[in-house]
Amino acid sequence: MKNIAVGIDHSDVTPRVLDAAKELALATRATLHLIHIFAPEPAVVGYGAYAYPGVDEREEELKQEKISLRNLVDQLKTAGVEASGFMKEAPIVKGLLEFADERGADLIVVGTHGHNILESVLLGSVAEGVVRKSRLPVLVVPSGQG
């Protein structure tokens, strides 16, 4: 195993995902490629040129996510793991699978938020979508909740 793609979302499950990925990387001397996929902005219809106040908030949110990603990569490197970090705007499952392919990943690591079955059926699940559509092995790290 040489390359591991690690999907992160900066949620409560992210530390568990990184711990699992770090253990694998240390055991196999693989490189971790962290990816934070953020969904495209929805199209806004019917607003004037200055009507959408969310642009500045979204830019600030992305800036903070970039800083957090950089910190996570630095922590992994300090622990002796070769790591890189990326952000990509795309539909989440599709973007993660494309990223894994681009990086030549041998494995994808993602977290799950522990939704119950009804929530997963109604809302869908990134982890479930990745498992279903990936041609690579996928390690799903549970949230530890529930």
Side-chain angles (χ1 to χ4, degrees), residues 13-80:
V13 75
T14 296
R16 292 177 59 92
V17 169
L18 288 177
D19 285 345
K22 180 174 71 173
E23 286 183 38
L24 280 169
L26 289 170
T28 63
R29 297 187 178 157
T31 299
L32 297 183
H33 302 282
L34 277 58
I35 180 68
H36 173 61
I37 306 282
F38 54 98
E41 284 292 317
V44 178
V45 179
Y47 287 97
Y50 302 102
Y52 184 62
V55 173
D56 290 337
E57 288 101 13
R58 182 67 176 145
E59 287 177 6
E60 183 58 31
E61 184 179 290
L62 289 173
K63 180 181 173 184
Q64 292 306 314
E65 289 170 351
K66 183 177 182 180
I67 290 168
S68 177
L69 178 60
R70 190 176 298 137
N71 289 338
L72 294 173
V73 169
D74 289 345
Q75 290 170 17
L76 289 167
K77 287 182 176 182
T78 299

